[in-house]
Amino acid sequence: MKRSSIAGQERFIFLVLFVLGVFTVVGQTSQTALQKDISEKVTALLLKMTLEEKIGQMNQYNGFYNVTGPAPKDGDAARKYDLLRKGYVGSMLNVRGVENVRAVQKIAVEESRLGIPLIIGFDVIHGYKTIAPIPLAEAASWDMDAIQKSSEIAAAEAAASGINWTFAPMVDISRDARWGRVMEGAGEDPFLGSDIAAARVRGFQGDDLSDPLTIAACAKHWAAYGFAEAGRDYNRSDVGTSTLFNVVFPPFQAAKEAGVKTFMNSFNTLNGIPATGDQFLQREILKDKWGFDGFVVSDWGSIREMIAHGFAKDGKEAARKAVIAGSDMDMESDLYVTKLAMLVQEGKVDESLITDAARRILTVKYELGLFDDPYRYCDETREKEIIYKEEYQDVVLDMARKSIVLLKNENNLLPLKKSGQKIALIGALAADKSSPLGGWRIASDDGTAVSVKEGMEAYTGNSLMYAKGADVVIGDATFIRELTINETDTTAFAKAVFTAKNADVVVMVLGEHGYMSGEGRSRAQLDLPGVQQELLEAVYAVNKNIVLVLNNGRPLAIDWAAEHIPSIVEGWQLGSQAGNAIAEVLYGDYNPSGKLPMSFPRSVGQVPIYYNHKSTGRPEDAGDNLVFWSHYGDESNDPLYVFGHGLSYTTFGYDTLKVEANENGANVTVWVSNGGDVTGKEVVQLYIQDPFASVTRPVRELKGYELITLEPNERKKITFKLTGKELGFYDNQGNWLVEPGDYNIFVGSSSATKLKGSFVLAE
Ligand code: NOJ
């Protein structure tokens, strides 16, 4: 009986596998047929195009006039309008809304000779109208399904608004919290960063690019932009080959393997060559070695910026160097459209490079379905239905909950009791309905985030008293203008201190305004900006029962708070539903499970600080208090909060770590148990160390993780399989090596776990 039912099951499984196999083969075949069809159409179209029209495809302009009004007659806008009509504009960015997109598309399609549609780009970084947590926060969830879903709804809203290409994901690894753009990325780790890169690409692009609710993605900024010297944006990067191949490149390669359609190059020089003019990056690695067949767009004006870098003497030389290096589309430098034809005629640029770039761009346009229907993304009814769709709020709420990291919770001050307490809520950010939307949210509407105050007000069992304490910024905070931080005004302190004095618990929401991170927003200090530290200490002097909720777009150096404040919640900038997610965590309706994707320094002087660093020849104090080892005399080497750190309202135990070597690597098993009395989620993390290698390897490297949920007292066995894929590394020539010998394994709750095993990989 049993046997036959197993045989039945086997037959069923076989049948399912067979059907799946057939579908996959059929799917692949139809995919190849589609590609062939597109390739033939592109070839035929290219034959009809003049040199200038091909160059036109490589030209991208910002939205240059009120597109639905009459065309301007004079000036630069009139000239650009004219170029659009001639078919010399291939793409526009920052035109949004169906009406506006339709207007520019109409000119391209109806007025230009060949009627080639535009591809419309926009920075959809963490949502379009409905705003998800900033990407760094989402990375703290370690939850790829949630991240994919978040990108999916961002794509749907943007696509419904006429956009068909996002300049995301930003997959730059960064170890420097001073760099404002860490908010856009996945943090410091290439393994986690690679998974997130792929999840975002899948989310934006879906399975079918021609679906009007998906958009083309763009892996940016290629490359090493996250290593801008001293964390100052647009600065140069000097990065050695080992770091380049093993840390900088992997998330880009993961995006490429996930099928990303475009790459954006970067503003920085890399080892003396502007990325935009770098043949090694764009041709050798990306297009030749990895076989990337999409197109590369320059960053905004980055072709022209090669002059300021000291790499090209004028615009003409900049255009020549960029196109030879493999930059296919010129974003706003206005140099391809003005210089390339001349360069070809003078024999300084081979026309085949132009044809290749145009081919790549046209292919993506075909894949988006723009040739079948240039107005595919322009449907007013769909726009109305999709923008601010109710269910998207659930998606971003879910994402926001999962992004919160409980950094510290002494004496179980959290979760808060739901009734009978007097709670003081302090901080200008607590009542802010725009700052939680974070940076890079150009299409969003100010004032649409749920504030922490609103989130907490939904819990009516306690009395909630609010006091601002101090402004973080003075005046309006805008995306493009420098902010004025409140460095002096403490007049509202007195009320906050009075409110705190009479409370059982004080919740303080402090940190950075949403526009303090993002492009051009580097900081030399990583403390609580302005007078907020003073405010925190003033409140602490009258009531020590403080829950500090951080709002920030980067790791902060909050050593005083870490020492004195009993509970600290990392609440980032969590988007439209920020306040609800934070309130749920504060009140225990959601048990936090986020883990830091970036180390928190103790002080700015430690930066760059990251867990996967190399050893030194003198890594440790020999115990005799001598000075000659790798350390600071005035600060510890360790971060304040390590990569992978994050607490829960329950506690997780790890035991019985087993590491069994096999031919290809090892099997690692560990038991994880929930020792508390509430259900909790844990990110089980596995790190490896290759202690002796032909090129030195980091002291630890994340190579596996699993998100699990455990009921109280539940135990679960977790298995990781390590193969050459996890154990190998790139040498300084970019060759992949898997070296036999000793490996150490660390498994646990964070990158600081002490649970250790080891194995030997046989020759
Ligand atoms: C410059 C930024 O570096 C890039 O990330 C962005 O996509 C473009 N501007 C377009 O807005």
Side-chain angles (χ1 to χ4, degrees):
M1 188 52 194
K2 214 169 172 200
R3 266 188 67 86
S4 80
S5 91
I6 288 175
Q9 267 177 24
E10 277 169 357
R11 265 201 302 276
F12 176 70
I13 291 170
F14 175 76
L15 194 69
V16 170
L17 289 177
F18 178 75
V19 172
L20 281 177
V22 169
F23 271 122
T24 315
V25 172
V26 171
Q28 275 163 3
T29 319
S30 61
Q31 197 56 28
T32 324
L34 183 72
Q35 274 159 3
K36 192 162 165 267
D37 181 45
I38 289 180
S39 159
E40 282 166 7
K41 286 180 174 153
V42 172
T43 306
L45 179 56
L46 282 167
L47 287 173
K48 289 190 215 150
M49 293 170 78
T50 62
L51 173 64
E52 286 73 15
E53 281 166 337
K54 286 189 264 185
I55 292 168
Q57 288 305 305
M58 301 163 70
N59 182 30
Q60 185 189 48
Y61 285 140
N62 192 36
F64 47 74
Y65 68 99
N66 178 7
V67 282
T68 51
K73 300 225 167 8
D74 307 303
D76 200 41
R79 181 189 142 253
K80 288 178 173 176
Y81 171 80
D82 197 43
L83 292 176
L84 176 60
R85 261 199 341 213
K86 288 198 172 110
Y88 296 169
V89 180
S91 173
M92 288 183 71
L93 75 153
N94 291 334
V95 180
R96 63 177 199 269
V98 165
E99 196 190 353
N100 293 327
V101 172
R102 186 188 289 281
V104 286
Q105 196 66 291
K106 207 160 177 277
I107 301 171
V109 171
E110 293 180 15
E111 299 188 40
S112 74
R113 188 179 76 94
L114 292 169
I116 298 174
L118 296 165
I119 176 171
I120 305 289
F122 194 74
D123 289 281
V124 187
I125 307 295
H126 55 114
Y128 182 71
K129 285 282 182 190
T130 307
I131 300 297
I134 56 169
L136 185 65
E138 289 194 352
S141 73
W142 298 51
D143 186 330
M144 298 311 129
D145 293 340
I147 292 174
Q148 181 173 332
K149 183 82 199 157
S150 167
S151 303
E152 218 171 278
I153 65 156
E157 269 193 347
S161 198
I163 287 148
N164 33 57
W165 176 25
T166 174
F167 306 124
M170 187 193 94
V171 303
D172 295 307
I173 296 297
S174 183
R175 299 162 164 180
D176 196 329
R178 293 170 297 182
W179 190 52
R181 300 198 76 168
V182 297
M183 57 94 30
E184 281 177 70
E188 73 192 33
D189 183 69
F191 186 84
L192 181 64
S194 296
D195 281 1
I196 292 176
R200 286 198 196 284
V201 171
R202 288 194 301 270
F204 288 129
Q205 296 192 167
D207 299 331
D208 174 7
L209 208 57
S210 70
D211 179 330
L213 291 184
T214 61
I215 56 182
C218 179
K220 71 186 190 187
H221 306 82
W222 180 242
Y225 185 40
F227 282 71
E229 191 175 77
R232 208 180 67 225
D233 208 4
Y234 316 118
N235 206 358
R236 68 181 204 201
S237 300
D238 285 326
V239 181
T241 40
S242 178
T243 305
L244 212 50
F245 284 116
N246 292 288
V247 180
V248 173
F249 288 175
F252 286 98
Q253 197 167 7
K256 188 260 154 191
E257 262 142 42
V260 75
K261 291 294 164 192
T262 71
F263 267 57
M264 184 185 291
N265 56 37
S266 53
F267 289 127
N268 56 286
T269 56
L270 171 61
N271 303 330
I273 316 261
T276 307
D278 193 334
Q279 294 192 43
F280 163 73
L281 286 175
Q282 295 172 102
R283 291 223 182 267
E284 259 180 62
I285 299 290
L286 182 61
K287 291 180 177 172
D288 296 346
K289 193 166 179 188
W290 295 355
F292 172 67
D293 55 10
F295 70 88
V296 180
V297 63
S298 81
D299 202 344
W300 181 291
S302 69
I303 299 181
R304 188 177 291 280
E305 286 178 17
M306 293 202 293
I307 304 170
H309 274 301
F311 187 69
K313 69 172 185 303
D314 55 23
K316 193 170 166 191
E317 195 182 9
R320 186 179 64 83
K321 287 194 164 179
V323 80
I324 289 174
S327 293
D328 299 307
M329 187 182 275
D330 171 1
M331 182 193 286
E332 271 292 329
S333 282
D334 208 18
L335 287 174
Y336 278 4
V337 76
T338 53
K339 310 285 184 232
L340 279 185
M342 198 186 335
L343 284 162
V344 172
Q345 275 136 20
E346 288 169 5
K348 291 184 180 141
V349 165
D350 198 305
E351 186 167 349
S352 65
L353 296 182
I354 312 289
T355 309
D356 176 61
R359 170 185 296 282
R360 289 166 180 271
I361 295 162
L362 291 170
T363 302
V364 175
K365 291 186 178 183
Y366 268 105
E367 289 171 338
L368 283 163
L370 288 168
F371 280 94
D372 296 333
D373 176 6
Y375 306 108
R376 198 180 200 97
Y377 299 82
C378 295
D379 176 333
E380 279 83 359
T381 318
R382 188 169 56 226
E383 186 177 36
K384 277 202 196 82
E385 271 168 25
I386 298 266
I387 299 291
Y388 281 129
K389 202 173 181 181
E390 195 58 39
E391 67 194 61
Y392 294 168
Q393 295 294 330
D394 299 338
V395 175
V396 296
L397 174 59
D398 180 59
M399 190 72 253
R401 291 175 183 131
K402 290 174 171 163
S403 306
I404 294 171
V405 185
L406 181 61
L407 293 176
K408 182 180 177 193
N409 194 22
E410 244 170 42
N411 310 324
N412 294 332
L413 182 56
L414 286 175
L416 301 173
K417 294 191 187 67
K418 284 190 179 160
S419 62
Q421 290 205 309
K422 278 194 282 182
I423 299 191
L425 177 64
I426 292 172
L429 292 173
D432 202 315
K433 290 177 62 60
S434 296
S435 172
L437 299 173
W440 277 121
R441 43 133 186 136
I442 309 166
S444 71
D445 297 300
D446 275 340
T448 50
V450 176
S451 69
V452 175
K453 182 164 169 284
E454 289 168 326
M456 289 187 74
E457 278 165 355
Y459 290 81
T460 52
N462 289 323
S463 80
L464 187 71
M465 303 162 292
Y466 172 69
K468 174 173 80 172
D471 284 317
V472 179
V473 290
I474 297 169
D476 285 341
T478 75
F479 178 60
I480 51 167
R481 299 254 168 267
E482 205 72 62
L483 306 185
T484 313
I485 307 296
N486 171 21
E487 305 281 359
T488 49
D489 183 6
T490 57
T491 47
F493 272 29
K495 188 177 166 207
V497 170
F498 177 79
T499 312
K501 215 182 220 164
N502 295 308
D504 297 311
V505 183
V506 187
V507 176
M508 296 188 75
V509 184
L510 305 178
E512 299 181 315
H513 185 275
Y515 281 143
M516 284 187 70
S517 53
E519 188 180 343
R521 308 285 192 183
S522 297
R523 290 185 66 197
Q525 320 296 337
L526 292 173
D527 52 1
L528 296 170
V531 294
Q532 294 180 97
Q533 178 65 32
E534 229 182 293
L535 174 66
L536 180 61
E537 291 182 32
V539 170
Y540 181 78
V542 299
N543 192 336
K544 301 199 167 17
N545 259 355
I546 297 178
V547 176
L548 171 61
V549 178
L550 293 173
N551 275 200
N552 43 328
R554 52 156 70 78
L556 294 178
I558 44 150
D559 53 339
W560 186 91
E563 196 185 329
H564 295 90
I565 304 301
S567 291
I568 306 180
V569 175
E570 177 47 81
W572 312 106
Q573 284 122 10
L574 292 173
S576 303
Q577 288 288 329
N580 284 336
I582 289 170
E584 285 182 24
V585 164
L586 294 179
Y587 279 106
D589 282 344
Y590 189 82
N591 187 355
S593 56
K595 301 279 187 176
L596 292 180
M598 224 179 147
S599 310
F600 273 45
R602 292 174 190 277
S603 54
V604 186
Q606 291 181 310
V607 174
I609 187 164
Y610 50 100
Y611 86 95
N612 49 355
H613 59 84
K614 301 281 181 83
S615 182
T616 67
R618 296 185 178 194
E620 275 163 41
D621 176 7
D624 41 14
N625 198 28
L626 291 181
V627 74
F628 305 109
W629 65 288
S630 180
H631 72 299
Y632 301 103
D634 57 356
E635 184 59 278
S636 135
N637 281 0
D638 296 329
L640 183 58
Y641 294 114
V642 297
F643 174 86
H645 169 72
L647 305 173
S648 160
Y649 293 146
T650 187
T651 49
F652 296 103
Y654 285 75
D655 63 89
T656 331
L657 174 66
K658 281 198 186 135
V659 184
E660 285 166 2
N662 56 39
E663 265 178 26
N664 307 316
N667 263 3
V668 179
T669 54
V670 69
W671 283 87
V672 188
S673 52
N674 180 348
D677 49 17
V678 288
T679 304
K681 268 198 312 179
E682 168 73 328
V683 183
V684 182
Q685 302 164 41
L686 177 140
Y687 297 83
I688 68 159
Q689 182 199 20
D690 178 351
F692 310 103
S694 56
V695 183
T696 61
R697 305 301 308 137
V699 293
R700 284 181 185 201
E701 291 176 89
L702 181 75
K703 290 295 173 180
Y705 60 91
E706 196 174 323
L707 204 53
I708 58 168
T709 302
L710 293 179
E711 304 292 327
N713 296 320
E714 192 184 344
R715 264 166 75 75
K716 211 177 230 168
K717 187 176 170 185
I718 307 298
T719 305
F720 293 101
K721 286 193 185 354
L722 295 175
T723 64
K725 194 167 158 266
E726 289 78 26
L727 301 173
F729 63 90
Y730 291 99
D731 70 10
N732 288 347
Q733 285 67 47
N735 304 309
W736 181 253
L737 303 179
V738 183
E739 297 191 337
D742 295 331
Y743 285 86
N744 293 323
I745 306 295
F746 306 87
V747 179
S749 270
S750 80
S751 61
T753 177
K754 295 199 164 53
L755 189 60
K756 181 177 172 187
S758 59
F759 74 98
V760 178
L761 183 67
E763 296 272 345

